[in-house]
Amino acid sequence: MVYFFSLKVSTRELILKYRKMNPKVHGKWFILMICMSCMTIVGCTTNQIRRARCTLRGTGPRDGKINGVITIQQDGDSIGSTIHVEASGLYPNATHGFHFHQYGDISDQISGLNNGAHFAVGEQSDGARHGSPFSIDPRPHNGDLGNVIADAYGKVSVTLQPSPNPWVRLDGSGYSVVGRSAVIHEKMDDASRTSPTGNAGGRYAQCVIGLDDTSNIELSRSNVENVASATPVPSGSFVSCTLSPLKDSIFASKGADPGPNGQMYPMGEIRFETNALGFVDISGSVYMMPPSQALGVYVHKYGSLESSKSIGPIWSQILHEKVEYAHLKNMVTNCRGVSEYKDNVDGLTFPITRLVGRTLAIHQNSSDPESPVLAGCVLGLAAFTKQNPIFRRTVIPKAECVF
């Protein structure tokens, strides 16, 4: 905010008074100093924007074949958001159901069932049935977004503006989709009221909705701040992330051993959960990392997994006039590149809700946050669902070192 003050003296009188106090400063330099100060104040004005992003990943045999990015933007305090979908690798000339789901848990990489049902809160969660996003009575789920249509090459490029469903937001309210998931289904959503999914078939591709890097947005003024945020993590839920390589990772095309779908990159899952004392317990299993090494674990500012640059700097907060960086305990791997990871952080320093939508990144060097990122994942909301009754681990036999 910029304030302008009314001066009851003329410019000449102001200059003369200032020169009496500072005789070495010429009047024109005083005017220049005033102008520069005003420019500095205006230049420091922060533009706030709410924007989120998720990087699509195919499920099962489609992993590595379906690619795409979904961006979501809420302007001001408007109801609803603009959604843009870019995807490739879909069925040519086909219509695919497109929904937001309740949880940002993509640990089920085969069928995508751990991200729960369609996102529904408020009136939409109270007896609402699946339907068209344009329905009024009764209203559909918040996450019912209709369909996207692929061209002859299996590509989609469409903007839903405004969103056909106005109850999708990024403002930290119960309607916020930060930390939830976006899903493209195998078949068309027929908007059926009798089916909770619109008969859209399997979950073809999925991604966790994270905070977008807005530093490169060109607006009329500089210093764009992304103020998008997640809804407070509800009781009985936790925060989870499933590792994958970034496109510029050295493990993007090779790794220690093949995964369940033949992947050759690090994989695993890490979860965050607030305990009774207010601390955040962190635990998980990670596979196919460099063997017998200490790796750096950091939380980065943004949840955009396109590259190591798009995740932004290490997330930090200023507490008691001290900068606290989100540097977690180092991860130590055994001779097979496996780590059973555990850590514990102060929930006041890094509240679990403020972690949602950011990137957990594993760096090659434990003491250098600028070292290459081996793998990363967007922190999303998760819960113990029917498909997820206990803390899940990627189904890989535990590696034992043989000497």
Side-chain angles (χ1 to χ4, degrees):
M1 183 176 292
V2 180
Y3 296 93
F4 294 93
F5 299 91
S6 176
L7 299 176
K8 294 185 178 180
V9 294
S10 67
T11 304
R12 176 179 173 79
E13 292 174 330
L14 189 62
I15 293 172
L16 290 174
K17 288 184 177 182
Y18 186 82
R19 287 186 64 187
K20 286 181 179 179
M21 293 183 292
N22 300 274
K24 294 184 180 180
V25 179
H26 195 276
K28 65 180 181 180
W29 293 113
F30 175 60
I31 294 176
L32 179 61
M33 289 165 63
I34 294 177
C35 293
M36 291 181 66
S37 299
C38 292
M39 290 172 64
T40 302
I41 294 173
V42 173
C44 290
T45 302
T46 299
N47 295 272
Q48 293 187 339
I49 191 172
R50 293 185 177 94
R51 202 161 85 165
R53 187 180 188 91
C54 68
T55 306
L56 281 167
R57 181 175 178 179
T59 58
R62 294 165 291 276
D63 189 9
K65 298 179 181 179
I66 296 179
N67 297 288
V69 173
I70 298 170
T71 54
I72 310 157
Q73 182 167 318
Q74 178 188 350
D75 295 318
D77 294 322
S78 61
I79 297 178
S81 303
T82 299
I83 302 171
H84 183 74
V85 183
E86 290 280 348
S88 62
L90 302 174
Y91 289 140
N93 300 314
T95 301
H96 297 270
F98 175 50
H99 308 128
F100 287 157
H101 284 246
Q102 195 75 14
Y103 303 116
D105 183 350
I106 60 172
S107 57
D108 182 353
Q109 298 175 24
I110 305 300
S111 55
L113 295 178
N114 284 338
N115 45 35
H118 291 181
F119 171 47
V121 294
E123 295 179 19
Q124 287 88 331
S125 64
D126 186 14
R129 292 181 297 171
H130 175 77
S132 165
F134 302 102
S135 301
I136 298 177
D137 187 22
R139 290 179 176 176
H141 303 134
N142 304 75
D144 292 345
L145 300 174
N147 295 285
V148 294
I149 302 174
D151 62 16
Y153 300 97
K155 295 182 178 181
V156 168
S157 180
V158 63
T159 299
L160 309 178
Q161 187 178 5
S163 163
N165 193 329
W167 303 283
V168 170
R169 300 170 68 95
L170 303 171
D171 57 2
S173 68
Y175 297 101
S176 179
V177 295
V178 175
R180 304 189 189 275
S181 62
V183 175
I184 293 180
H185 286 259
E186 184 179 6
K187 300 177 182 178
M188 180 183 73
D189 182 345
D190 63 8
S192 170
R193 290 286 185 182
T194 59
S195 168
T197 63
N199 298 305
R203 302 177 186 192
Y204 212 48
Q206 59 184 352
C207 58
V208 181
I209 300 170
L211 302 174
D212 194 11
D213 179 1
T214 57
S215 61
N216 295 323
I217 295 179
E218 294 184 2
L219 296 178
S220 58
R221 289 173 291 180
S222 59
N223 301 322
V224 179
E225 179 186 4
N226 189 354
V227 294
S229 58
T231 184
V233 178
S235 176
S237 299
F238 58 92
V239 174
S240 169
C241 71
T242 301
L243 288 167
S244 65
L246 280 64
K247 290 184 178 179
D248 57 354
S249 167
I250 61 173
F251 273 85
S253 60
K254 64 180 181 178
D257 295 293
N261 299 321
Q263 309 102 311
M264 298 291 286
Y265 50 71
M267 59 192 305
E269 180 194 6
I270 297 177
R271 78 165 181 177
F272 295 65
E273 186 173 9
T274 304
N275 63 29
L277 298 177
F279 287 85
V280 178
D281 294 325
I282 308 170
S283 60
S285 299
V286 178
Y287 306 86
M288 303 182 206
M289 284 292 182
S292 305
Q293 286 194 26
L295 309 173
V297 182
Y298 298 86
V299 176
H300 287 254
K301 188 174 183 179
Y302 304 116
S304 178
L305 294 180
E306 276 87 347
S307 69
S308 56
K309 292 184 178 180
S310 65
I311 62 178
I314 309 298
W315 180 48
S316 63
Q317 296 195 104
I318 299 177
L319 298 173
H320 307 296
E321 300 182 353
K322 180 182 178 182
V323 179
E324 299 284 353
Y325 290 94
H327 179 193
L328 306 182
K329 178 182 176 182
N330 291 335
M331 177 179 292
V332 179
T333 60
N334 66 12
C335 65
R336 300 286 187 178
V338 175
S339 176
E340 298 291 334
Y341 185 75
K342 288 187 178 181
D343 194 8
N344 181 279
V345 297
D346 187 348
L348 294 177
T349 305
F350 296 108
I352 192 169
T353 296
R354 296 208 62 196
L355 293 170
V356 176
R358 305 186 192 277
T359 296
L360 176 76
I362 300 177
H363 290 252
Q364 188 173 16
N365 191 322
S366 61
S367 59
D368 182 8
E370 300 296 327
S371 63
V373 176
L374 302 179
C377 53
V378 179
L379 294 159
L381 299 169
F384 298 106
T385 64
K386 291 182 180 180
Q387 293 79 24
N388 178 16
I390 59 174
F391 177 32
R392 304 143 332 287
R393 298 178 186 272
T394 307
V395 183
I396 299 177
K398 185 175 180 179
E400 298 292 344
C401 295
V402 178
F403 297 95

